[in-house]
Amino acid sequence: MRIAVAIDRVEKRFGSLLALAGVSLQIAEGEFFGLLGPNGAGKTTLISCLAGLSRPNAGKLMIMGHDVRSEYRAARRLLGVVPQELVFDPFFSVRETLRIQSGYFGIRNNDDWIDEILANLDLTAKANANMRSLSGGMKRRVLVAQALVHKPPVIVLDEPTAGVDVELRQGLWQFVQRLNRDGHTVILTTHYLEEAEALCGRIAMLKQGRVVALDTTRNLLARFSGQTLSLRLAGLAPIPRRCAPAPRKVKGRGPSTSAVSPRSNHCWPRCVRPAARSTICV
């Protein structure tokens, strides 16, 4: 299996702050990979190092076998990044912006692919509109288009659906999933857990600049996705059998019992309502 992105013991400091503390990851070619973590975990810093926008203090990053520092031209050509921030040139139309972006990579006569991107991102009607006239959601669509205009084999999406409407989100994911099926490697950072669950085959969780969990999405959900319901009985009677929502684990007997259920919230009403009727204090 060919490795699309290799990150080896990467460290990054900003003064006394250690933003990345020896992060190591390998992402296979054609993988849809999720990068999750709270604000300040180091996700964007890691992406900045991968894109060459920030230089790590230690470690090595490679894209499709090309070192990000020593082979930066080849590495940049193989990577498309959708940043968090809305960055745009206010003097050009949408189509002109994408033509200029193509030119950065030495690509001419790219209008057919530009038209396809515009259509998939619902930007065709805005193709000749000035960037200043677009809404925030439309500007974010253009950022996605810019990242895809040179057909990079590795695509990094840094919270691409933040602040966009549901329709665009669904259309964007359909388009990105198609690119992934065609062989593109996709790295996604998001705060929408349902997106990571639906799209990503593997997930790495960052916290304080370290990888604290790395596994398949299915395995991570099985390990961390339970919910706990604690019941305290008014008397010494056992919890009625009809209150049980087929929990995964049950702890305790008698007046106090805790149950850990699967992810779905729908089972808890079936437990709480009969418990209330049975004079159980919840």
Side-chain angles (χ1 to χ4, degrees):
M1 183 182 297
R2 189 179 180 188
I3 301 300
V5 175
I7 301 170
D8 184 26
R9 293 171 292 183
V10 171
E11 294 184 5
K12 178 61 181 177
R13 288 184 177 274
F14 296 98
S16 61
L17 174 65
L18 183 61
L20 296 174
V23 174
S24 294
L25 292 171
Q26 286 192 339
I27 301 171
E29 188 174 358
E31 191 171 3
F32 207 128
F33 189 86
L35 198 59
L36 274 65
N39 291 331
K43 304 184 298 297
T44 299
T45 300
L46 182 61
I47 290 172
S48 296
C49 292
L50 190 64
L53 300 175
S54 183
R55 180 171 293 186
N57 297 104
K60 190 174 184 179
L61 301 101
M62 302 187 74
I63 301 173
M64 305 295 289
H66 296 278
D67 189 280
V68 168
R69 292 182 65 176
S70 62
E71 301 174 272
Y72 61 91
R73 289 187 184 273
R76 303 293 191 281
R77 188 179 294 273
L78 296 168
L79 183 70
V81 179
V82 181
Q84 278 188 12
E85 298 81 11
L86 290 177
V87 182
F88 64 95
D89 194 319
F91 300 104
F92 299 104
S93 69
V94 173
R95 184 178 296 279
E96 288 170 338
T97 297
L98 298 181
R99 284 174 176 169
I100 292 170
Q101 186 76 14
S102 299
Y104 289 150
F105 295 94
I107 302 173
R108 299 183 178 182
N109 303 318
N110 200 27
D111 279 356
D112 288 345
W113 176 237
I114 288 174
D115 287 339
E116 186 173 348
I117 294 174
L118 293 174
N120 280 281
L121 295 175
D122 198 22
L123 283 169
T124 302
K126 300 291 186 179
N128 297 313
N130 187 281
M131 289 293 297
R132 286 177 294 184
S133 68
L134 301 182
S135 66
M138 288 289 182
K139 290 187 179 86
R140 189 165 293 280
R141 299 185 198 199
V142 178
L143 291 181
V144 175
Q146 285 182 271
L148 301 176
V149 77
H150 62 291
K151 297 184 180 179
V154 180
I155 304 167
V156 177
L157 306 167
D158 193 2
E159 299 186 29
T161 56
V164 301
D165 56 74
V166 175
E167 184 178 359
L168 169 61
R169 187 179 301 175
Q170 293 174 345
L172 172 62
W173 291 136
Q174 290 174 3
F175 186 38
V176 172
Q177 283 179 304
R178 195 191 85 190
L179 293 173
N180 182 241
R181 287 193 298 269
D182 291 341
H184 291 74
T185 304
V186 180
I187 303 172
L188 168 69
T189 76
T190 180
H191 288 297
Y192 298 111
L193 296 181
E194 68 274 13
E195 288 183 349
E197 180 181 353
L199 297 167
C200 301
R202 283 198 307 149
I203 291 175
M205 294 185 178
L206 290 181
K207 185 177 181 181
Q208 296 179 344
R210 292 177 171 85
V211 177
V212 295
L214 173 61
D215 208 336
T216 64
T217 306
R218 182 189 296 267
N219 288 345
L220 286 176
L221 288 173
R223 286 166 56 190
F224 299 115
S225 62
Q227 293 180 332
T228 300
L229 177 68
S230 297
L231 303 178
R232 179 172 295 277
L233 305 187
L236 296 178
I239 294 177
R241 185 177 298 275
R242 67 180 182 277
C243 296
R248 191 177 293 160
K249 300 178 188 174
V250 175
K251 297 180 181 179
R253 295 182 180 276
S256 299
T257 301
S258 295
V260 180
S261 161
R263 294 184 74 246
S264 174
N265 293 324
H266 301 298
C267 61
W268 294 125
R270 298 201 305 271
C271 176
V272 173
R273 289 180 188 131
R277 291 195 296 269
S278 301
T279 67
I280 296 175
C281 299
V282 180

